[in-house]
Amino acid sequence: MRKNSIKNTRINGEVQKELSNIIRSGIKDPRIHPLTSVVAVEVAPDLKTCKAWISVYGDEKAQADTLAGLKSAEGFIRRELARTVNLRNTPQIRFVLDQSIEYGVHMSKLIDDVNETEKDDENAES
């Protein structure tokens, strides 16, 4: 099976949807931040391993706590994933912190700051 095959893409989407459901409603660990989302999932073509990119809205402590909580609940998450998604093998999940949303918000703020200073400079000249 090729890495970007239609079957693999469909499996990635299904696993991402189910992981989101499990994290949102199935885990009762207080370390996991309520605003945690699964940004992307990449299941290996042999269905043995899976990388899940996680985005956490909050400071670095909340992100570290959420990753620790997810790693400790990995067995439960894998069992629930096996129960809900019918695959030959249930993949071993590795959680990776995704900083892209936070980076995008930061860049947007920088652009807004530059636009504000340009408006202030134009108003000061006239």
Side-chain angles (χ1 to χ4, degrees):
M1 180 167 55
R2 292 185 324 261
K3 187 172 187 174
N4 294 329
S5 69
I6 294 171
K7 180 180 177 185
N8 199 296
T9 304
R10 205 170 39 227
I11 290 171
N12 290 343
E14 187 66 24
V15 169
Q16 179 179 355
K17 185 179 80 167
E18 291 303 324
L19 272 179
S20 296
N21 288 339
I22 293 167
I23 291 172
R24 183 180 62 247
S25 61
I27 301 176
K28 304 293 188 250
D29 193 336
R31 294 178 291 182
I32 297 175
H33 197 273
L35 295 176
T36 300
S37 59
V38 180
V39 177
V41 169
E42 184 179 307
V43 179
D46 63 354
L47 304 177
K48 299 281 185 191
T49 60
C50 169
K51 267 191 204 175
W53 283 272
I54 305 295
S55 175
V56 180
Y57 184 76
D59 58 351
E60 290 183 15
K61 183 182 180 327
Q63 293 173 351
D65 288 347
T66 299
L67 272 181
L70 288 173
K71 284 180 183 174
S72 71
E74 187 177 328
F76 171 78
I77 293 170
R78 192 171 179 199
R79 185 175 70 237
E80 289 298 308
L81 191 64
R83 194 175 56 80
T84 57
V85 179
N86 187 17
L87 294 174
R88 183 182 315 123
N89 299 319
T90 304
Q92 183 75 34
I93 304 166
R94 190 176 73 181
F95 294 102
V96 180
L97 190 61
D98 184 39
Q99 303 282 354
S100 63
I101 295 174
E102 184 177 323
Y103 178 76
V105 168
H106 176 69
M107 292 305 287
S108 179
K109 183 181 180 307
L110 290 176
I111 292 170
D112 291 344
D113 291 345
V114 169
N115 287 337
E116 280 296 316
T117 56
E118 285 182 3
K119 283 183 183 177
D120 292 342
D121 289 345
E122 289 176 5
N123 290 339
E125 290 176 1
S126 42

